[in-house]
């Protein structure tokens, strides 16, 4: 069994970005600038913003964070201002959002949409145009490429159909000429689908739902899951049983999430370059 660690790949992306940001600063006199907006007091969202801040600092990206509580109109006003501010080149809106602010994600300027979550960004991805792809979906593809795992003609099964992972990664796999099946809670025979898959992307959000007995010995498994159970981070795949069965698998932690962090940073740099007309 080959473990598809993301640590070395993430380190390489980070090192490249540090050099690129330094060069951009010398050439333009400016730096990529991210603003993270949070509504409410969700502790996990705030902790995630803190990790993003550390990653930005390490690369040389300017970081700004604002939290709003019981101020929906102020939140929308700040988002509109960030869209119009030339200094701010990237915008993140933390989720979850209350019902009255769900539509605010569509307010994000697509050129600054580093998470690739607006309908404009997802629409471009769907038709194959250049855009900022959702970082986790892109990280899955980066790992497959880094380890020279063939995609063309392979049968890929994606478990989970979210707009930020399942759907976009299925499109990216199709663009690389895989035959893709999307599975979810209403799939009639998930075990059969997994047994017949060359590539499995597990993005369902249920700790260790997929067991080794459900997989075949030639499968490559990309585990996107980030489930905290009794203080321990677990994937959507039962790593121990799967590792005894499959050809290759990403660990949790140290796999997709590690690469996602740096792909997000790369999207921040891309948005800066796009807004400045730099190719």
């Amino acid at each position: 069994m080959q473990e598809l660690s993301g640590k070395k790949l993430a380190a390489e992306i980070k090192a490249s970005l540090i050099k690129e940001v330094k060069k951009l600063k010398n050439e333009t006199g400016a730096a990529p600038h991210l603003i993270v907006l949070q509504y409410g007091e969700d502790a996990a969202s705030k902790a995630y913003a803190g990790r993003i801040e550390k990653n930005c600092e390490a690369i040389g990206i300017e970081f700004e964070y604002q939290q709003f509580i019981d101020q929906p109109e102020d939140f929308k006003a700040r988002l509109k201002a960030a869209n119009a501010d030339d200094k701010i080149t990237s915008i993140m809106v933390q989720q979850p959002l209350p019902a009255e602010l769900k539509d605010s994600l569509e307010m994000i300027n697509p050129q600054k949409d580093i998470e690739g979550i607006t309908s404009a960004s997802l629409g471009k991805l769907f038709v194959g145009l250049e855009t900022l792809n959702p970082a986790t979906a892109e990280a899955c593809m980066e790992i497959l490429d880094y380890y020279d795992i063939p995609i063309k003609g392979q049968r890929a099964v994606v478990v989970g159909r979210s707009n930020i992972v399942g759907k976009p990664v299925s499109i990216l796999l199709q663009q690389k000429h895989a035959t893709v099946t999307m599975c979810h809670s209403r799939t009639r025979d998930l075990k059969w689908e997994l047994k017949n898959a060359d590539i499995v992307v597990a993005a369902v959000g249920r700790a260790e739902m997929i067991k080794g007995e459900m997989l075949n010995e030639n499968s490559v498994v990309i585990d996107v899951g980030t489930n905290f159970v009794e203080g321990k981070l677990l994937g959507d795949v039962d790593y121990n049983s799967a590792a005894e069965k499959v050809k290759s698998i990403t660990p949790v932690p140290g796999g997709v999430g590690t690469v996602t962090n740096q792909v997000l940073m790369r999207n921040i740099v891309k948005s800066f370059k796009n807004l400045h007309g730099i190719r």
Side-chain angles (χ1 to χ4, degrees), residues 137-148:
E138 189 78 18
C140 294
M141 304 304 294
E142 289 281 350
I143 290 171
L144 291 170
D145 181 64
Y146 187 76
Y147 285 98
D148 294 319

Side-chain angles (χ1 to χ4, degrees), residues 56-164:
C56 286
E57 288 176 352
I59 291 168
I61 295 167
E62 295 181 8
F63 178 88
E64 185 178 346
Y65 168 82
Q66 280 190 264
Q67 183 178 22
F68 297 82
I69 300 171
D70 298 327
Q71 302 165 293
E73 294 308 315
D74 290 347
F75 177 86
K76 289 181 180 179
R78 186 66 188 99
L79 179 51
K80 289 179 181 177
N83 279 333
D85 190 336
D86 291 338
K87 182 183 176 184
I88 296 172
T89 57
S90 299
I91 298 171
M92 281 186 69
V93 172
Q94 292 287 77
Q95 298 188 66
L97 287 169
E100 72 265 28
L101 289 175
K102 288 289 185 184
D103 292 343
S104 63
L105 295 176
E106 282 298 302
M107 293 170 58
I108 300 172
N109 178 349
Q111 289 185 293
K112 300 183 180 185
D113 175 24
I114 55 155
E115 293 186 286
I117 57 175
T118 63
S119 59
S121 298
L122 291 169
K124 285 186 174 182
L125 170 62
F126 182 81
V127 298
L129 296 177
E130 181 69 25
T131 188
L132 296 169
N133 294 329
T136 304
E138 189 78 18
C140 294
M141 304 304 294
E142 289 281 350
I143 290 171
L144 291 170
D145 181 64
Y146 187 76
Y147 285 98
D148 294 319
I149 293 167
I151 300 174
K152 184 177 180 180
Q154 299 296 291
R155 189 170 189 277
V157 170
V158 178
V159 188
R161 51 181 171 175
S162 72
N163 288 336
I164 58 172

Side-chain angles (χ1 to χ4, degrees), residues 18 81 133 201 206 256:
I18 290 171
N133 294 329
V201 179
R206 290 176 57 188
V256 176

Side-chain angles (χ1 to χ4, degrees), residues 10 13-22 25 31-32 52-62 261-266 268-269:
I13 295 172
K14 180 178 179 180
S16 176
L17 289 174
I18 290 171
K19 291 179 182 178
E20 186 171 14
V21 169
K22 185 176 181 180
K25 286 180 178 178
I52 293 171
E53 181 177 14
K54 289 180 180 178
N55 284 324
C56 286
E57 288 176 352
I59 291 168
I61 295 167
E62 295 181 8
N261 293 334
Q262 299 309 317
V263 171
L264 183 66
M265 296 298 107
R266 189 172 65 191
I268 295 170
V269 176

Side-chain angles (χ1 to χ4, degrees), residues 149-208:
I149 293 167
I151 300 174
K152 184 177 180 180
Q154 299 296 291
R155 189 170 189 277
V157 170
V158 178
V159 188
R161 51 181 171 175
S162 72
N163 288 336
I164 58 172
V165 185
K167 290 176 183 175
V169 79
S170 73
I171 294 169
L172 292 172
L173 285 164
Q174 289 176 69
Q175 289 174 357
K176 294 290 185 180
H177 310 295
T179 298
V180 181
T181 299
M182 293 193 69
C183 296
H184 43 76
S185 60
R186 290 173 176 79
T187 298
R188 283 189 295 178
D189 194 344
L190 177 61
K191 187 173 181 179
W192 185 91
E193 299 290 352
L194 293 172
K195 277 284 187 183
N196 289 277
D198 301 303
I199 298 170
V200 174
V201 179
V204 70
R206 290 176 57 188
E208 298 185 334

